[in-house]
Amino acid sequence: MARPVFIVDGSRTPFLKARSGPGPFTPVDLAVQCGRPLLARQPFAPTDFDQVILGCVNVIADEMNPARVAALRLGMGEDMVAFTVQINCGSGMQSIDTAYRYIREGHADMILAGGTEALSHAPLVWPNSGVRWFAGLATAKGIAAKAAAAFRLRPRDLKPIIGLERGLTDPITDLNMGQTAEVVGHLFGITRAQSDAYAAESHRRLAHAQTEGYLKGEVETAFSRNGKFFDHDDGVRPDSTAETLARLKPVFERPWGQVTAGNSSQITDGASWVILASDAAVAKHRLTPKAAIVDSNWAALDPSIMGLGPVMSATPLLQRNGLTVQDVETWELNEAFATQVLGCLAAWNDDKFCREILGLDGAAGEIDRDKLNVDGGAISLGHPVGTSGNRIVLHLVNAMKRLGTRRGVATECIGGGLGGAMLIEAV
């Protein structure tokens, strides 16, 4: 029989906007910054975990298998099994899902599952012509041959390619993620005004959550090596309005596009962890669960409309558990783009789409905006790709506890044409 799986605690770093040049923390630095206080407050030793699973997309050369590096730096023991997972934007949720299945099937009792990403450390890449030039120089025999090879260098061979830009471009459709949001917006008639209004509301909600202390206990202060500290998500702009955002020009489809820098998620560094435990571990260590994972689901679709991943993954999840969208009291839907979030809401409320694509009898219905991303989302706090799926589960659990709601869904679109969703219940 499947065993119950509980989320007992979690924490994350502040999400820090990527600026010019590498940020103060590498992916493992970030994972350690929020992992240390999380483990320090537990009534058990760091070595009591069975496994560590960490999502990370832009792994840097100095930190191969960042899960293992982080586990060792966190003092979890040399015999701690630790591995890294990568499914683009879903990596942080995939770590939770993998841990959930290990515990559910009886293969583990307690797992630390997280996500980390330092997009400011994304590399600059040499063009292929530069790689070929360097290879020719390295393999040339003798001084004359090396000199001849050196003289073949052209300025264009040294022009760097921004690795992050290529990483956010789908290799099958050759559309970048912003362009896929434009496609979704076009399909469902989402207007620029609607997108800007949604983005402004995201900033207002996050600013309110910070002011009211709703993130206390979730966000841990991070300390850099030069003595600076970071104690809040620094991408929030409380003064954003639909009117100010309307002044920004489209980024991906000029001049008529809907997607701008203001209504898109921010390029950000950050990490997040959650602790998952079986009922046996809860009893052994006298833990107090925050919530239980009921079910999870992954889905795939055309990469050009990857933004509809939440609809394609969450709908079967709800059906399998005998639920409708109205039965869910709290939603965390990762805000890759305002246009994409609004496209998902429109899809669920579209009779033809729900009949022909989802196989429903009619429209799934509206999701109350007061139940969706109640404290803002990636537009206001950022989207460190390998982390966001973990953060939305962690914050969903905390928001449900604060609001006193019983049932929640965390869901996200995933680059490459995928979607992930997780059903959470309060305990």
Side-chain angles (χ1 to χ4, degrees), residues 133 136-138 140 144-153:
W133 171 80
L137 180 65
K146 285 188 177 296
F151 277 111
R152 296 191 188 101
L153 178 66

Side-chain angles (χ1 to χ4, degrees), residues 325-344:
V325 295
Q326 289 80 22
D327 293 325
V328 178
E329 299 160 286
T330 313
W331 288 83
E332 282 288 323
L333 196 163
N334 191 45
E335 296 174 353
F337 304 92
T339 302
Q340 166 263 327
V341 175
L342 294 172
C344 288

Side-chain angles (χ1 to χ4, degrees), residues 280-337:
V282 167
K284 177 181 179 181
H285 299 292
R286 298 181 181 179
L287 305 175
T288 303
K290 290 187 173 184
I293 300 176
V294 177
D295 200 358
S296 63
N297 192 66
W298 302 87
L301 66 163
D302 184 337
S304 68
I305 52 172
M306 70 92 199
L308 294 176
V311 180
M312 304 306 294
S313 58
T315 304
L317 176 71
L318 295 177
Q319 287 181 296
R320 189 160 65 229
N321 289 275
L323 302 171
T324 68
V325 295
Q326 289 80 22
D327 293 325
V328 178
E329 299 160 286
T330 313
W331 288 83
E332 282 288 323
L333 196 163
N334 191 45
E335 296 174 353
F337 304 92

Side-chain angles (χ1 to χ4, degrees), residues 20 31 35 56 59 73 124 157 171 183 215 241 250 305 336 338 345 352 366 368 412 424:
S20 55
C56 187
V59 176
R73 285 181 57 184
L124 294 176
D157 298 336
V183 174
L215 303 181
T241 65
I305 52 172
L345 300 184
K352 183 178 180 181
E366 291 190 32
D368 187 342
E412 59 188 332
I424 305 291

Side-chain angles (χ1 to χ4, degrees), residues 229-391:
F229 70 92
F230 306 86
D231 61 0
H232 66 280
D233 306 308
D234 66 2
V236 62
R237 298 186 297 274
D239 57 347
S240 289
T241 65
E243 291 73 27
T244 58
L245 292 175
R247 299 170 191 160
L248 300 176
K249 294 182 179 180
V251 175
F252 305 102
E253 293 292 340
R254 297 176 179 173
W256 309 115
Q258 311 298 324
V259 181
T260 71
N263 57 39
S264 303
S265 57
Q266 303 176 40
I267 297 173
T268 315
D269 298 351
S272 174
W273 291 108
V274 295
I275 296 174
L276 284 78
S278 67
D279 50 359
V282 167
K284 177 181 179 181
H285 299 292
R286 298 181 181 179
L287 305 175
T288 303
K290 290 187 173 184
I293 300 176
V294 177
D295 200 358
S296 63
N297 192 66
W298 302 87
L301 66 163
D302 184 337
S304 68
I305 52 172
M306 70 92 199
L308 294 176
V311 180
M312 304 306 294
S313 58
T315 304
L317 176 71
L318 295 177
Q319 287 181 296
R320 189 160 65 229
N321 289 275
L323 302 171
T324 68
V325 295
Q326 289 80 22
D327 293 325
V328 178
E329 299 160 286
T330 313
W331 288 83
E332 282 288 323
L333 196 163
N334 191 45
E335 296 174 353
F337 304 92
T339 302
Q340 166 263 327
V341 175
L342 294 172
C344 288
L345 300 184
W348 268 311
N349 204 32
D350 186 278
D351 186 81
K352 183 178 180 181
F353 180 90
C354 289
R355 288 179 183 274
E356 296 182 1
I357 305 301
L358 300 179
L360 303 179
D361 294 332
E366 291 190 32
I367 293 177
D368 187 342
R369 291 281 291 277
D370 289 337
K371 300 178 179 179
L372 174 70
N373 299 341
V374 294
D375 298 319
I379 289 171
S380 51
L381 61 86
H383 179 21
V385 179
T387 307
S388 290
N390 200 275
R391 183 203 72 81

Side-chain angles (χ1 to χ4, degrees), residues 28 57-70 72 82 84:
V28 169
V57 179
N58 287 280
V59 176
I60 66 174
D62 294 332
E63 298 177 348
M64 290 294 108
N65 189 12
R68 174 64 172 168
V69 181
L72 290 171
T84 304

